[in-house]
């Protein structure tokens, strides 16, 4: 079994910062891409940022220059540093990873349970 556990969400004022973390655990053989998605009330889930196993990154246009994704492969952990937060960043943020377990031949997609980020004064 594999688990993705997020942490670091909360309430922050506009212009503030938060750092999200997501740790993968279980019978993990390897992890390819890891990423963050978000879903605001009444909206579809959208990609925020993704980082490949080799460290290449991609961001949604709405967060470029404000958010930074990184990973610690030794800890099976991905981070999202969020700066200059805006009210429109308010959403539930989900961690996502392509993981091959010890008993599988291919990578499967796994999701965390989500962490709430609220940007409000």
């Amino acid at each position: 079994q594999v688990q993705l556990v997020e942490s670091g969400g909360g309430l922050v004022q506009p212009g503030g910062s938060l750092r999200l973390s997501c740790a993968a655990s279980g019978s993990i053989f390897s992890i390819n891409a890891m990423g963050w998605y978000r879903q605001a009330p009444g909206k579809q889930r959208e990609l925020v940022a993704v980082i490949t196993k080799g460290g290449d990154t991609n961001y949604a246009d709405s967060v470029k220059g404000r958010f930074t994704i990184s990973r610690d492969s030794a800890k099976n952990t991905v981070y999202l540093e969020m700066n200059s937060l805006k009210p429109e960043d308010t959403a539930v943020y989900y961690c996502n990873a392509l993981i091959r377990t010890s008993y599988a031949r291919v990578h499967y997609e796994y999701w965390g349970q989500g962490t709430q980020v609220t940007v409000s004064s």
Side-chain angles (χ1 to χ4, degrees):
Q1 293 286 51
V2 170
Q3 274 193 316
L4 297 180
V5 178
E6 300 116 332
S7 61
L11 173 65
V12 64
Q13 291 187 341
S17 299
L18 280 176
R19 188 190 194 212
L20 305 183
S21 300
C22 171
S25 62
S27 302
I28 297 171
F29 181 80
S30 69
I31 302 178
N32 275 352
M34 303 184 80
W36 291 93
Y37 288 71
R38 68 186 180 186
Q39 187 167 19
K43 295 188 177 181
Q44 288 189 332
R45 190 174 297 189
E46 63 175 0
L47 174 69
V48 177
V50 63
I51 184 167
T52 68
K53 191 174 185 178
D56 294 327
T57 59
N58 193 32
Y59 296 91
D61 288 343
S62 59
V63 307
K64 282 181 181 176
R66 300 187 298 122
F67 291 11
T68 302
I69 189 171
S70 61
R71 66 190 284 175
D72 184 335
S73 295
K75 296 181 179 180
N76 292 335
T77 299
V78 62
Y79 306 97
L80 186 68
E81 186 76 35
M82 305 185 292
N83 298 314
S84 303
L85 282 161
K86 305 175 181 180
E88 50 263 45
D89 294 318
T90 296
V92 177
Y93 283 70
Y94 296 92
C95 175
N96 171 277
L98 292 175
I99 297 174
R100 178 184 171 189
T101 61
S102 302
Y103 43 85
R105 295 183 179 181
V106 297
H107 290 77
Y108 290 96
E109 188 174 48
Y110 291 87
W111 291 89
Q113 80 287 354
T115 185
Q116 177 70 47
V117 171
T118 302
V119 184
S120 175
S121 55

